[in-house]
Amino acid sequence: IKAIRQRGLGLAFEHGPLFPDATCGQYIEGFAGEGFLKAVQRVKDAGGTLNFIALDEPYYWAHFYDGDQACHWSTEKIAKDVGNMILQAQEIFPDLIVGDIEPVTGPADAAAYKVWLETFRAVNGFDLAFLHLDMDWSNPNWPSEAIQMEAYGNELDIPIGMIYIGNGFDQDNATWLATAGERVKRYELEAGGQPDHIIFQSWNDKPDHVLPESDPTAYTWFVKTYFEDQSSLGLDAEMVARNLALNKSVSSSREIAGNDGSRAVDGDSGTFWSSGDDAPQWIEIDLGKPYDIGAIRLLTSQY
C-alpha cells in the first residue's frame, strides 16, 4: 500500500459480492460475500485507500449458471443484493468506484447484459460504474456481441471494457501473447470496436514474466505495443511462416454452425472445427501448392 501511494497508482481488487444460502451458491464463483466487506475494511485498517472493485461475475453465476449448486435467482434479487453490498463498501470508502465483470457466453449475451444493467439501475437508483467483458473466444461472433454491448453502454452511459487474454493451453508465452494480440486486431482494427476500458490480465500460467518491456514475450511489451502500434501485435512473421495451414482453404465431411473447418486453421487454438457427429469424420486442408512438411501438430478438442 505504501508503494502504491508513492507511485500515485489506484488500488483495486476483484471480489464476489453474493452470499450463498442453504440451497445454492456454495463454492460457486461470484459467491464470496462473507469476505467482501472484510477485504474492504482490511485495506482501510492497513492505511490504504481502495479506489475500485470489479465484481466477479455475480449475474452470470447467480442467474444463468445451471450446474451443481445453481441458484437461478431473479435479475431483481441479484441487483438488490449487489447494490446493498456496494453501498456498505462505500460507507467505508465513500469515493469507491464499483463495476462488474461478466462472461459473454451462451444465453448470457449482449442483450441479457443490457437487461442486467437496466434492472440494476431500476432497483438501486444508481448504475454499476462499468461492465468488463470476459468473452467466449470460441464463439465466432464474439466481436459483434462486444460491439452490441458497446452500443448498449453508450445508450446507458456506462463504460464497457474488454479483457484481452490468450488461451490457458497455449504452448508458450509468445503464443499466448500472439493470441491475445490477434484478438485486439480482430476487434479494434477489423471490427471497429472502441472499448472504454482495456483490461490487461491473465489467470493462466502465462506470460511467465512482466519485464522487460523490450522483450516480446513479456507482458509489459504487450501493454506498450497495444498503445503504440496495435498492428504489430499478434502472430509474427516466423509464426506465420511455419504454420503452412494458416487461413488455407478447408473442406470437411461435416461441420456445425459456428465451428466450421476454417476454425481449425485460423491460428487461434481457442476456436475449433467440430463435425457435430460421431467418428469417422475428416477434415482436409488445401495448402495451395506442394511443400516439404517438417511436422504436423494437431490440437484436439474432444468431449
Side-chain angles (χ1 to χ4, degrees), residues 137 142 163-167 170 173-186 200-201 219 222 226 233-235 268:
W137 307 111
W142 70 261
I163 302 172
Y164 288 121
I165 192 169
N167 300 308
D170 285 333
N173 295 334
T175 304
W176 192 98
L177 289 167
T179 300
E182 287 293 326
R183 289 164 178 168
V184 171
K185 293 197 295 186
R186 183 178 177 194
F200 299 101
Q201 182 175 8
Y219 212 165
F222 179 77
Y226 172 87
L233 296 171
L235 300 170
D268 185 346

Side-chain angles (χ1 to χ4, degrees), residues 58-101:
Y59 186 50
Y60 176 84
W61 291 99
H63 184 75
F64 291 104
Y65 169 65
D66 201 33
D68 187 41
Q69 287 286 316
C71 289
H72 298 300
W73 287 349
S74 71
T75 306
E76 289 76 12
K77 172 179 169 49
I78 302 166
K80 185 174 186 296
D81 289 355
V82 170
N84 286 339
M85 290 296 281
I86 291 174
L87 293 175
Q88 291 181 70
Q90 288 174 337
E91 289 180 4
I92 302 172
F93 291 109
D95 296 326
L96 179 64
I97 295 170
V98 184
D100 191 17
I101 305 169

Side-chain angles (χ1 to χ4, degrees), residues 6-18:
Q6 288 173 339
R7 288 161 176 79
L9 297 174
L11 178 62
F13 63 60
E14 295 180 20
H15 215 294
L18 299 175

Side-chain angles (χ1 to χ4, degrees), residues 2-276:
K2 180 180 177 181
I4 288 170
R5 185 185 299 116
Q6 288 173 339
R7 288 161 176 79
L9 297 174
L11 178 62
F13 63 60
E14 295 180 20
H15 215 294
L18 299 175
F19 287 85
D21 61 25
T23 62
C24 69
Q26 295 288 339
Y27 310 112
I28 301 298
E29 192 165 354
F31 287 83
E34 65 280 356
F36 188 90
L37 295 176
K38 290 180 182 178
V40 176
Q41 185 63 49
R42 191 173 178 184
V43 173
K44 187 175 182 66
D45 292 344
T49 298
L50 186 63
N51 304 101
F52 304 95
I53 295 178
L55 303 174
D56 186 16
E57 306 185 343
Y59 186 50
Y60 176 84
W61 291 99
H63 184 75
F64 291 104
Y65 169 65
D66 201 33
D68 187 41
Q69 287 286 316
C71 289
H72 298 300
W73 287 349
S74 71
T75 306
E76 289 76 12
K77 172 179 169 49
I78 302 166
K80 185 174 186 296
D81 289 355
V82 170
N84 286 339
M85 290 296 281
I86 291 174
L87 293 175
Q88 291 181 70
Q90 288 174 337
E91 289 180 4
I92 302 172
F93 291 109
D95 296 326
L96 179 64
I97 295 170
V98 184
D100 191 17
I101 305 169
E102 293 289 347
V104 185
T105 181
D109 58 8
Y113 286 121
K114 184 185 182 189
V115 172
W116 165 235
L117 295 177
E118 290 175 333
T119 303
F120 187 92
R121 172 185 289 179
V123 168
N124 295 292
F126 62 91
D127 285 322
L128 288 162
F130 54 80
L131 179 62
H132 292 167
L133 307 180
D134 178 5
M135 302 305 300
D136 175 6
W137 307 111
S138 67
N139 176 5
N141 297 318
W142 70 261
S144 62
E145 287 288 335
I147 290 283
Q148 189 175 357
M149 199 63 247
E150 278 190 29
Y152 293 150
N154 290 334
E155 178 184 330
L156 299 169
D157 197 27
I158 297 173
I160 303 299
M162 179 71 78
I163 302 172
Y164 288 121
I165 192 169
N167 300 308
F169 44 80
D170 285 333
Q171 57 190 351
D172 51 39
N173 295 334
T175 304
W176 192 98
L177 289 167
T179 300
E182 287 293 326
R183 289 164 178 168
V184 171
K185 293 197 295 186
R186 183 178 177 194
Y187 187 56
E188 298 192 36
L189 300 186
E190 297 175 16
Q194 296 181 308
D196 299 296
H197 297 168
I198 304 299
I199 301 89
F200 299 101
Q201 182 175 8
S202 175
W203 46 88
N204 308 138
D205 65 345
K206 303 175 186 69
D208 294 315
H209 47 278
V210 175
L211 295 168
E213 64 191 41
S214 57
D215 180 355
T217 66
Y219 212 165
T220 48
W221 176 89
F222 179 77
V223 176
K224 183 173 183 287
T225 305
Y226 172 87
F227 291 107
E228 293 183 349
D229 182 13
Q230 290 183 358
S231 64
S232 297
L233 296 171
L235 300 170
D236 62 26
E238 181 183 347
M239 292 175 176
V240 172
R242 70 170 180 250
N243 186 352
L244 300 180
L246 184 66
N247 295 325
K248 292 299 197 300
S249 176
V250 174
S251 57
S252 63
S253 54
R254 277 181 59 102
E255 60 189 28
I256 59 176
N259 296 104
D260 58 87
S262 68
R263 306 297 169 189
V265 294
D266 62 2
D268 185 346
S269 53
T271 60
F272 56 94
W273 162 67
S274 175
S275 70

